[in-house]
Amino acid sequence: MPNPDTPTPEAVAELFAHMRIDDQGPRECIAFLAEELGELAKAVRTGELPAIAEEIGDVGILLHRIALLHGIDVDEAVRAKADLRRARYDAERAGG
């Protein structure tokens, strides 16, 4: 079930254009993501919640851009992975 708070593709495209990442391919976005992950790590070390939230936002935006470039729905990918991990965990607990 789609999340009603999920931005429309048009809103996402406008955000990417505003951030000047609308013309970047996957490799450029991965490099930018690595930079933002470093900034997130620094924010976590300082413990400043506003900075942590800001950097999580940057990471999320870049993940969405990479997913969009590959035709992947981020929410569905996370749900599918969570289901897979849950099934593995349940199998391990059951001794399988």
Side-chain angles (χ1 to χ4, degrees):
M1 176 176 200
N3 181 343
D5 295 327
T6 300
T8 64
E10 295 80 15
V12 171
E14 183 179 323
L15 174 62
F16 293 156
H18 180 72
M19 293 178 66
R20 297 189 176 115
I21 62 171
D22 58 322
D23 63 344
Q24 293 185 354
R27 290 184 178 149
E28 293 86 3
C29 286
I30 291 292
F32 195 11
L33 179 61
E35 180 181 328
E36 293 300 336
L37 283 170
E39 292 177 12
L40 175 57
K42 180 179 179 183
V44 168
R45 280 193 306 276
T46 68
E48 295 178 26
L49 294 181
I52 293 169
E54 181 178 338
E55 298 308 331
I56 286 173
D58 286 340
V59 167
I61 290 166
L62 285 160
L63 287 174
H64 277 81
R65 173 68 180 158
I66 294 164
L68 181 67
L69 289 169
H70 291 90
I72 295 169
D73 179 297
V74 173
D75 292 332
E76 180 56 36
V78 170
R79 274 192 296 277
K81 187 63 174 189
D83 290 346
L84 179 64
R85 290 197 175 271
R86 200 173 300 111
R88 285 183 190 163
Y89 176 75
D90 290 346
E92 289 173 4
R93 286 190 68 195

